Amino acid sequence: MQIADIFVSLQGEGKNQGRICLFIRLAGCNLDCTWCDTKESRTGGISMSMDTILEHIWRVNPPYICITGGEPLLQAEGLEPLLASLHKRGTEIDIETNGTIDFSPLQQYASICMDVKCPSSGEQSELGLLGKIRSRDTVKFVVKDENDCRYAQDVIASHRIAGEVFISPVFGTDYAVISKFILTQNLPVRMQIQLHKIIGVK
């Protein structure tokens, strides 16, 4: 697999926010979001075998791992045996995906966090995948403005989403505008600010 980075940090987003986590960032992405904060992971990376990746993992022996990117599901064929090995050992796993590739074959091993792309990103997710989200999975909308919030509101209203839904403002945007929209519209979401950006870690 092509690996952009393997590192330990605090999980900055989602249901596991604040937990110590080993991140495996896979290289390569099929989107080019306007406000992407990991553009360096869109291409390149270092080729690593599954055994080499596992060696990195067991040096830390983490109880919780997040597979991220780029878009990790572009490497699903190589990723599945890695996930199976980790799952067998009882490791808790999250996969962060942009919602353009079917993640259902990997749900037996991990929780999914589907990042639904909003208009300001310049990209679009496959909304039909929301029907595959389970109660243990999550959905995230990264929003920049009220227009993005209205898009998220429409998607939530028109799709059955079994998992918890997060609204995450783009770092540095006006958080008050986002929070006011959530409150006035009574959205069934949890607002979450990107912790890792605030405390200055990866």
Side-chain angles (χ1 to χ4, degrees), residues 11-195:
Q11 175 59 272
E13 301 175 281
K15 64 182 182 180
N16 286 306
Q17 187 182 63
R19 290 183 62 186
I20 296 174
C21 176
L22 176 70
F23 289 86
I24 302 175
R25 187 179 299 284
L26 275 63
C29 192
N30 57 341
L31 300 183
D32 186 16
C33 296
T34 303
W35 32 250
C36 177
D37 58 1
T38 56
K39 288 187 181 294
E40 68 281 359
S41 68
R42 294 191 67 247
T43 58
I46 299 171
S47 180
M48 289 189 186
S49 67
M50 188 176 88
D51 287 343
T52 301
I53 295 169
L54 286 171
E55 285 178 16
H56 281 272
I57 292 170
W58 302 141
R59 287 180 201 144
V60 180
N61 196 26
Y64 169 50
I65 291 176
C66 180
I67 310 293
T68 187
E71 174 45 59
L73 298 188
L74 291 173
Q75 301 187 59
E77 184 176 347
L79 186 57
E80 184 164 7
L82 175 64
L83 294 174
S85 177
L86 295 171
H87 181 73
K88 188 175 181 179
R89 292 181 65 112
T91 305
E92 183 180 354
I93 308 165
D94 285 344
I95 300 174
E96 297 181 343
T97 175
N98 61 29
T100 59
I101 300 171
D102 186 7
F103 45 74
S104 58
L106 304 181
Q107 284 180 294
Q108 60 184 310
Y109 310 115
S111 295
I112 299 297
C113 176
M114 179 174 165
D115 183 352
V116 178
K117 299 304 176 183
C118 293
S120 71
S121 73
E123 297 287 0
Q124 189 169 2
S125 299
E126 175 50 63
L127 298 181
L129 291 173
L130 290 169
K132 298 177 182 288
I133 292 292
R134 309 158 300 175
S135 60
R136 64 178 288 197
D137 301 322
T138 58
V139 171
K140 176 179 69 174
F141 295 87
V142 178
V143 298
K144 185 177 182 181
D145 51 31
E146 189 170 309
N147 186 49
D148 281 351
C149 289
R150 292 197 182 280
Y151 176 78
Q153 182 181 32
D154 290 344
V155 171
I156 294 166
S158 58
H159 292 78
R160 178 188 170 275
I161 302 175
E164 188 170 12
V165 179
F166 293 85
I167 294 287
S168 179
V170 174
F171 183 67
T173 196
D174 189 341
Y175 301 143
V177 170
I178 309 303
S179 60
K180 182 179 179 181
F181 186 92
I182 292 170
L183 288 166
T184 57
Q185 299 298 315
N186 195 28
L187 292 187
V189 302
R190 186 196 300 186
M191 179 175 167
Q192 192 171 70
I193 297 172
Q194 296 170 305
L195 177 66

